[in-house]
Amino acid sequence: MKKYIVTVNGVKYEVELEVADAATIASAPAAAPAAAPAPAAAPAGGTAVNSPLPGTVLSVNVANGASVKKGQLLFVIEAMKMENEILAPCDGTVSSVSVTKGATVDSGSALCVIA
């Protein structure tokens, strides 16, 4: 271990660093990258509306059986303290809603299907 003194914003900190040899580094397991989730498939004849980003569903503005027009507000998702509006990509009738208010969604998660 080697000791160093580091100054951050005028405050001094004493830190210890371990010196690794080549054998230690070579034997350390490499972290595998996480696989991206696959977007949900829409049923035949329907258009899936998927979340474009991970976040929390703040509002669900549609229900099963509701008629929607292209550009109509369907959901509001909060991500990184910003509210993102999810709009209908087409005209149609909502055949299923997959999320509820307060749910956490990943990027690509199914929100609803418009038939």
Side-chain angles (χ1 to χ4, degrees):
M1 297 286 250
K2 288 190 175 186
K3 289 187 179 185
Y4 294 94
I5 296 178
V6 180
T7 304
V8 178
N9 294 331
V11 179
K12 292 185 178 189
Y13 297 94
E14 183 177 319
V15 295
E16 291 184 20
L17 299 176
E18 180 179 353
V19 179
D21 59 357
T24 304
I25 294 171
S27 67
T47 302
V49 178
N50 298 325
S51 177
L53 69 170
T56 303
V57 178
L58 292 183
S59 69
V60 178
N61 300 324
V62 293
N64 289 339
S67 292
V68 294
K69 297 285 184 190
K70 181 177 182 177
Q72 181 178 334
L73 179 64
L74 302 176
F75 304 93
V76 177
I77 296 177
E78 186 226 359
M80 296 174 40
K81 298 187 180 186
M82 293 183 65
E83 293 183 6
N84 301 277
E85 296 180 340
I86 310 303
L87 307 177
C90 60
D91 292 349
T93 302
V94 177
S95 60
S96 69
V97 177
S98 305
V99 295
T100 58
K101 181 179 178 180
T104 301
V105 295
D106 290 325
S107 182
S109 295
L111 300 175
C112 71
V113 175
I114 299 173

